[in-house]
Amino acid sequence: MTYNDIFEEVMLLFKRPDKAVDVKAKTKEAIHRAHTTDRFAKDAVEAVTDSLVCGDARSSYGIVTSSFANFRDLISIQLYDEAAGTAGKELELDPFPSASMDSFGVKRVPSVMQIGDVVQVALGDAPGKTRKFFVTYLVYPSLVDPIPESWIMRNYPYLVIHDALARLFRTTGNAERASASARDAEDQRMILVQNNLILGR
């Protein structure tokens, strides 16, 4: 279904034509939740960074995640071979704060850690060297007007419909209908998870 189809179905089942603005908002919330309850492979995108310069106190490259459209979460970083135009070795993502040192207190190379919206990649390169990186990351669904669009809306519309209805019925105090719609949404969510690849981390 398209967004308009889903919106019309929710309006029909909610039976409150005076609440169109609320229906629109709750439908978008349901779409957002459907995508963000798991790390679906279909929400992953790839990008090549601009040329980055090795520098700062850590002699590392800084990849600013906010520069990627709808960035949600990092999946992987690979070295990028500009001559071949291909991704190379994948760099292991390290948990902070142990990322920069090994168990003996020796600086780890390579070291990849995320601090806020910057991923610092230390490769032991000399300051001033430039590199590009191949980044794979999860995105949030696009919910902007005029018409939001996503693979979950197309393939699992009733997950969105029932979740939106559960949210709407809660706002009107109809606990019984809200609970029934929430159960239907959970059934649809299980089908979604069973039929799609989930990325670990």
Side-chain angles (χ1 to χ4, degrees):
M1 288 186 179
T2 66
Y3 174 80
N4 288 339
D5 294 332
I6 291 172
F7 174 78
E8 288 173 13
E9 185 74 8
V10 175
M11 285 291 289
L12 180 68
L13 294 171
F14 189 46
K15 298 178 181 173
R16 288 289 302 270
D18 59 314
K19 297 282 189 178
V21 172
D22 290 341
V23 169
K24 185 175 185 180
K26 297 303 181 187
T27 300
K28 288 185 176 183
E29 286 176 21
I31 294 166
H32 186 273
R33 180 168 187 246
H35 283 273
T36 58
T37 52
D38 268 301
R39 294 165 54 87
F40 296 108
K42 287 183 179 178
D43 283 330
V45 297
E46 300 168 334
V48 176
T49 66
D50 295 331
S51 289
L52 303 175
V53 180
C54 181
D56 77 26
R58 297 179 183 273
S59 292
S60 63
Y61 301 89
I63 301 171
V64 180
T65 59
S66 59
S67 65
F68 299 119
N70 291 333
F71 180 88
R72 177 178 148 208
D73 195 14
L74 186 64
I75 296 173
S76 69
I77 294 180
Q78 294 170 262
L79 299 175
Y80 183 71
D81 184 339
E82 290 189 66
T86 58
K89 178 183 176 184
E90 183 173 338
L91 304 172
E92 184 178 346
L93 304 175
D94 297 314
F96 185 79
S98 62
S100 61
M101 299 287 180
D102 66 15
S103 57
F104 301 102
V106 177
K107 191 172 183 179
R108 296 179 62 181
V109 175
S111 170
V112 181
M113 64 179 167
Q114 185 168 356
I115 301 174
D117 71 344
V118 177
V119 178
Q120 293 187 339
V121 182
L123 300 172
D125 291 347
K129 181 176 174 63
T130 61
R131 283 186 188 264
K132 289 185 177 183
F133 296 89
F134 187 84
V135 181
T136 306
Y137 61 98
L138 290 173
V139 293
Y140 288 109
S142 176
L143 300 176
V144 296
D145 289 328
I147 300 175
E149 199 275 338
S150 80
W151 63 273
I152 288 181
M153 289 166 47
R154 288 190 308 272
N155 301 322
Y156 302 92
Y158 288 98
L159 166 56
V160 176
I161 290 167
H162 292 303
D163 192 14
L165 286 169
R167 293 165 186 272
L168 288 162
F169 285 127
R170 279 189 210 107
T171 65
T172 62
N174 191 335
E176 185 178 336
R177 292 289 303 273
S179 180
S181 292
R183 283 193 303 272
D184 290 340
E186 195 54 38
D187 290 344
Q188 291 294 314
R189 189 168 287 109
M190 292 303 297
I191 294 169
L192 169 68
V193 169
Q194 290 168 358
N195 291 340
N196 289 277
L197 178 63
I198 307 292
L199 301 171
R201 170 111 171 252

